[in-house]
Amino acid sequence: MTQILITGGAGFIGSHTCLVLLEAGHQLVVLDNFANSSPEALKRVARLAGPAAAGRLQVIEGDIRDPADLERAFAAGVAAGAPIQAVIHFAGLKAVGESVAEPLRYWDVNVTGSQQLLAAMVKHGCRTLVFSSSATLYGYPDSVPIPEAAPIRPINPYGHTKAAVERMLADLVASEAGWRIASLRYFNPVGAHPSGCIGEDPNGIPNNLFPFISQVAVGRREQVQVFGGDWPTPDGTGVRDYIHVMDLAEGHLAALEAMLAGGDQLLTLNLGSGQGHSVLEVIEAFAAACGHPIPYVMASRREGDAAITVADPAEAQRQLGWQTRRSLKDICCDGWLWQSSNPNGYG
Ligand code: NAD
Ligand code: UFG
């Protein structure tokens, strides 16, 4: 059993990962300021994990930018009898459009927040980290599937902050021995836990396709706008690599265990399925899962979009023995169960 600090553990990916880690027997301290999440998510994680496992989950409301809050989180591990041995760092801001409007807030939370966290880790002698990076780093890829060696060319402030943190991690690993870091570049995380008890609950109008479709399906919104029908793809709509959030959560467990078991390293991995699906394919798959058509209209292209992004996931399989197991059908069935059981999210 290992004591792990999970920053941003109440969020979409964090909550599903907390459940997988509890089920694997780990002890967790979550540090979250609930800027984009609800404490209810972790209450449900505790319920799903069962009473024995729930005793291994501590939740601290606090901000990664505040050294006093980080101290409280590290102290919580010690108080529970096991100092924190590793960190999974999810906390951050992730809306591309918002990052264009408010770049300083993105640099503050994503970059300064990561720097404060790393300083606290050094202070407490903890040098094992799994970091939430993003496929957004690749910008407009030269070719697909995209390997990790593809050029890093972010096209928005959000992407620049992720690239800056990856740079900071590389500098740190080069500066002293002892660091074991996995940077995981997620493609498009979607879906929900198969219980329908936890899932994605975005604030306001969803920026992303999958939660938008779910809200149309449940009657919260009228129709999906398809951003572009003239892309150079088989049906003219954008193609993405959608990864079930439970596959992603299991990828974190695999990465964490590899870091805890291995020597000094900086491992940078794509987490994706290697399969591309178009917007129209996702709409059709969701309609099949919910049992009724999803109304949509064709609209113009969204600025900043690429035609196709699909991961080359081979390195993650080689390094971690991990690959996705769930299909687009699973993604839509689980996403629909979550949305239909919780039409207003965590409420
Ligand atoms: P999310 O917004 O659901 O979760 C992020 C969590 O961090 C939230 O619970 C939020 O309250 C918390 N948080 C934000 N600022 C904080 C701060 N200053 N101090 C403490 N907690 C703070 O997002 P998610 O989809 O779960 O994403 C998790 C991570 O994965 C993020 O770093 C994101 O950039 C990255 N990522 C997400 C996607 C995606 O499409 N969801 C894709 C690639 C990378
Ligand atoms: N799309 C629509 N209508 C919508 C929303 C999206 O047609 O209402 C289309 C987009 O044009 C794109 C596809 O659906 O072709 C997927 O768009 P998303 O907004 O769901 O996802 P993105 O690929 O644009 O970006 C997401 C996250 C980024 C992350 C990236 C990683 O928003 O933060 O995946 O690949 F970096």
Side-chain angles (χ1 to χ4, degrees):
M1 190 188 300
T2 308
Q3 182 81 258
I4 304 155
L5 170 61
I6 316 283
T7 73
F12 172 43
I13 304 167
S15 55
H16 291 78
T17 304
C18 283
L19 180 57
V20 165
L21 294 172
L22 287 171
E23 286 171 348
H26 294 298
Q27 210 168 327
L28 312 182
V29 175
V30 168
L31 177 65
D32 201 304
N33 67 357
F34 303 113
N36 194 39
S37 56
S38 160
E40 174 65 17
L42 290 170
K43 289 188 185 143
R44 295 192 187 184
V45 166
R47 258 204 317 274
L48 286 169
R56 290 186 270 106
L57 171 65
Q58 294 191 73
V59 182
I60 295 188
E61 181 166 0
D63 195 305
I64 53 165
R65 292 165 295 176
D66 184 342
D69 289 347
L70 288 163
E71 278 307 304
R72 285 197 293 132
F74 277 91
V78 175
I84 283 163
Q85 283 169 265
V87 177
I88 304 186
H89 178 31
F90 293 108
L93 304 177
K94 61 167 184 178
V96 170
E98 192 181 66
S99 80
V100 175
E102 299 176 68
L104 294 182
R105 191 154 78 88
Y106 272 68
W107 280 84
D108 184 33
V109 175
N110 292 1
V111 182
T112 309
S114 298
Q115 187 188 344
Q116 293 290 358
L117 171 68
L118 290 164
M121 289 176 69
V122 170
K123 183 172 169 196
H124 290 274
C126 172
R127 287 182 170 75
T128 302
L129 174 73
V130 176
F131 170 61
S132 294
S133 189
S134 172
T136 197
L137 288 175
Y138 298 119
Y140 304 115
D142 295 331
S143 59
V144 287
I146 310 171
E148 288 83 356
I152 302 301
R153 286 188 303 231
I155 52 170
N156 53 61
Y158 167 63
H160 284 292
T161 65
K162 290 291 178 189
V165 177
E166 283 205 4
R167 184 66 257 165
M168 182 156 51
L169 296 175
D171 290 347
L172 199 53
V173 167
S175 72
E176 58 170 353
W179 287 97
R180 297 181 292 188
I181 298 180
S183 243
L184 305 180
R185 296 177 179 163
Y186 316 152
F187 279 68
N188 290 59
V190 286
H193 187 264
S195 65
C197 292
I198 55 172
E200 186 171 15
D201 181 20
N203 279 332
I205 301 172
N207 296 306
N208 300 116
L209 178 67
F210 196 85
F212 205 105
I213 292 176
S214 314
Q215 292 192 6
V216 170
V218 83
R220 271 173 73 177
R221 305 195 185 276
E222 197 186 329
Q223 58 190 6
V224 180
Q225 286 189 63
V226 177
F227 296 145
D230 56 352
W231 294 100
T233 60
D235 68 14
T237 67
V239 169
R240 294 291 181 274
D241 184 334
Y242 295 94
I243 173 171
H244 194 298
V245 66
M246 292 305 295
D247 280 328
L248 192 56
E250 289 166 6
H252 285 76
L253 176 63
L256 175 78
E257 291 183 342
M259 291 303 104
L260 288 168
D264 294 8
Q265 58 189 308
L266 173 60
L267 195 58
T268 301
L269 297 175
N270 286 338
L271 293 190
S273 69
Q275 302 291 316
H277 292 289
S278 73
V279 174
L280 293 181
E281 278 173 341
V282 179
I283 290 175
E284 269 170 37
F286 206 100
C290 73
H292 58 78
I294 307 288
Y296 67 86
V297 284
M298 300 309 292
S300 50
R301 290 182 181 190
R302 182 173 65 178
E303 202 187 328
D305 272 349
I308 308 182
T309 60
V310 174
D312 176 348
E315 193 60 17
Q317 183 169 13
R318 260 196 300 276
Q319 297 284 346
L320 306 178
W322 169 92
Q323 62 183 351
T324 60
R325 297 191 286 130
R326 296 161 179 91
S327 64
L328 181 61
K329 184 177 175 194
D330 298 327
I331 285 171
C332 294
C333 289
D334 295 341
W336 174 239
L337 183 60
W338 154 252
Q339 190 70 72
S340 53
S341 326
N342 303 271
N344 296 307
Y346 291 111

